[in-house]
């Protein structure tokens, strides 16, 4: 029976591709939601295993389930096919190798309704092969757009607000007309950025509801890291900065640019430590590409003195910079932790 609190329809899009061993766990977790007014769209993206038959079986079992069978086009194309069918007032995403807690959409919907928010964000469980990492205290924190963007851009000790769309519930009108870029990885970056730029009010639910599987073999996140980064992720982060500059403010875009530079420097150190010389060399080129613009941002007053000095050292010698960061991590940070 429909609850008085379930006035709105929530559409949940689930891309499905050769996940027969995970699909039941995923779909069952959605069917068990305490929020019952759902439209569940399973998009079979050209699977060659038993996933298509499983999807059809769920549609026969539960009238809330719709199934789309299409030629393989990748995660973004599958999500877009789902978006073409949604009729709900809110939109959520679940990846077919993950699963969710029974109260996820009830709690996120209630948070949106209670705070007049256009998007809700929750924490998530990190599911490794040998452990589960969780956190949160259950609090519900309303955030205006600029507060949300600052946390999203720069991170926060308390809040976990990343670009993944599956940890969010979007009011449909705030993502109207938005699609995922076909044939690209890191596709969530621009979808989430554009949505966040459009909101007036958001709400953060500091509780884990989504189980994100990190170690599955065959997952796109286990592919060639360097290729994905240069082809997709780095260009998307540049688009992310441009979008914020256009839709929010130059000051917020400068903050995004600063954190993008920090991200590239972190990636460079990681590649250097892993002896991925081609990737490290490519990152040096990417960092130098933005030097003039980043010089302006680093001189604008939003960057600490320490970050300025570290970046200057990078331009003197990237290899010395990598060594200095390694020594800092190995010697200085442990000493500080003892105090």
């Amino acid at each position: 029976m429909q609850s008085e609190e379930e006035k709105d329809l929530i559409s949940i899009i689930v891309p499905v591709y050769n996940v027969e061993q995970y699909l039941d766990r995923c779909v069952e977790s959605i069917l068990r939601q305490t929020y019952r007014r759902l439209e569940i769209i399973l998009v079979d993206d050209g699977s060659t295993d038993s996933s298509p038959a499983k999807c059809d079986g769920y549609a026969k079992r539960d009238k809330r389930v719709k199934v789309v069978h299409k030629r393989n086009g990748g995660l973004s194309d599958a999500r877009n096919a789902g978006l073409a069918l949604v009729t709900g007032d809110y939109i959520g995403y679940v990846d077919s190798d993950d699963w969710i807690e029974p109260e996820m959409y009830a709690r996120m919907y209630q948070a949106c309704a209670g705070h007049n928010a256009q998007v809700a964000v929750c924490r998530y469980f990190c599911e490794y092969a040998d452990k589960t990492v969780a956190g949160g205290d259950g609090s519900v924190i309303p955030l205006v757009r600029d507060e949300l963007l600052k946390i999203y851009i720069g991170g926060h000790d308390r809040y976990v607000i990343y670009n993944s769309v599956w940890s969010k519930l979007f009011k449909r009108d705030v993502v109207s007309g938005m699609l995922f870029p076909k044939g690209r990885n890191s596709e969530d970056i621009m979808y989430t950025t554009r949505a966040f730029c459009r909101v007036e009010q958001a709400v953060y639910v500091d509780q884990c509801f989504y189980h994100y599987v990190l170690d599955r073999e065959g997952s796109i996140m286990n592919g060639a890291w360097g290729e994905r980064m240069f082809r997709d992720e780095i260009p998307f982060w540049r688009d992310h900065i441009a979008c914020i500059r256009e839709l929010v403010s130059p000051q917020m875009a400068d903050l995004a640019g600063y954190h993008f530079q920090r991200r590239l420097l972190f990636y460079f150190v990681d590649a250097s430590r892993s002896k991925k010389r081609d990737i490290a060399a490519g990152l040096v080129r990417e960092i130098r590409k933005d030097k003039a613009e980043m010089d302006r941002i680093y001189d604008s007053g939003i960057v600490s003195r320490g970050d300025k000095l570290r970046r200057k050292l990078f331009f003197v010698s990237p290899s010395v910079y990598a060594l200095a960061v390694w020594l800092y991590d190995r010697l200085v940070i442990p000493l500080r932790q003892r105090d």
Side-chain angles (χ1 to χ4, degrees), residues 48-309:
T48 57
D49 62 1
S50 65
S51 296
K54 284 178 176 285
C55 290
D56 291 338
Y58 278 113
K60 291 177 182 178
R61 169 182 156 188
D62 194 309
K63 64 181 182 180
R64 297 176 298 170
V65 178
K66 299 178 181 178
V67 179
V68 181
H69 297 288
K70 59 181 287 296
R71 294 179 62 180
N72 180 253
L75 177 61
S76 292
D77 195 47
R79 285 174 172 170
N80 291 341
L83 283 169
L85 296 180
V86 297
T87 61
D89 306 284
Y90 290 82
I91 299 174
Y93 297 90
V94 178
D95 286 352
S96 52
D97 50 351
D98 301 330
W99 75 99
I100 60 178
E101 290 292 297
E103 69 275 21
M104 174 170 171
Y105 285 110
R107 290 289 304 279
M108 294 180 80
Y109 174 78
Q110 290 162 6
C112 280
H115 294 277
N116 196 27
Q118 295 134 316
V119 62
V121 185
C122 71
R123 272 188 184 258
Y124 51 89
F125 300 96
C126 292
E127 298 288 350
Y128 296 92
D130 60 344
K131 64 180 179 180
T132 298
V133 178
D137 61 13
S139 57
V140 177
I141 301 100
L143 299 165
V144 297
R145 184 194 65 179
D146 283 9
E147 291 173 327
L148 173 70
L149 281 170
K150 286 177 182 177
I151 296 168
Y152 172 56
I153 289 167
H156 195 280
D157 291 340
R158 179 179 176 187
Y159 308 138
V160 181
I161 302 179
Y162 295 145
N163 53 275
S164 54
V165 295
W166 37 253
S167 60
K168 299 166 182 65
L169 180 64
F170 300 96
K171 202 163 187 180
R172 185 178 174 187
D173 59 4
V174 93
V175 294
S176 176
M178 287 171 40
L179 295 173
F180 293 88
K182 183 178 176 181
R184 309 275 294 278
N185 296 132
S186 303
E187 61 284 319
D188 291 11
I189 293 172
M190 285 310 300
Y191 191 92
T192 296
T193 297
R194 289 194 182 98
F196 282 2
C197 287
R198 289 180 174 186
V199 305
E200 296 177 2
Q201 183 73 46
V203 62
Y204 175 72
V205 183
D206 195 32
Q207 185 171 346
C208 294
F209 293 121
Y210 191 99
H211 294 263
Y212 173 47
V213 179
L214 285 96
D215 281 349
R216 181 173 73 83
E217 290 184 14
S219 168
I220 60 171
M221 294 307 296
N222 289 332
W225 173 54
E227 181 184 351
R228 289 200 319 270
M229 180 173 56
F230 291 118
R231 184 192 65 207
D232 299 329
E233 183 180 347
I234 289 176
F236 279 143
W237 285 121
R238 288 198 169 96
D239 290 345
H240 153 92
I241 297 166
C243 178
I244 293 170
R245 190 173 302 280
E246 177 186 357
L247 299 180
V248 183
S249 70
Q251 294 79 16
M252 193 70 75
D254 283 354
L255 183 65
Y258 162 58
H259 284 284
F260 171 61
Q261 182 84 156
R262 290 191 66 183
R263 182 185 301 271
L264 292 187
L265 289 167
F266 172 81
Y267 286 172
F268 168 74
V269 171
D270 195 30
S272 298
R273 290 179 183 177
S274 304
K275 301 190 184 304
K276 298 180 191 244
R277 294 182 178 85
D278 290 346
I279 294 176
L283 286 163
V284 170
R285 290 192 293 271
E286 292 291 339
I287 293 167
R288 286 177 173 161
K289 185 187 298 184
D290 298 321
K291 186 176 186 304
E293 174 66 2
M294 291 301 157
D295 283 347
R296 180 190 66 77
I297 291 173
Y298 270 65
D299 289 335
S300 67
I302 65 172
V303 179
S304 70
R305 182 171 177 270
D307 269 358
K308 288 182 181 180
L309 291 173

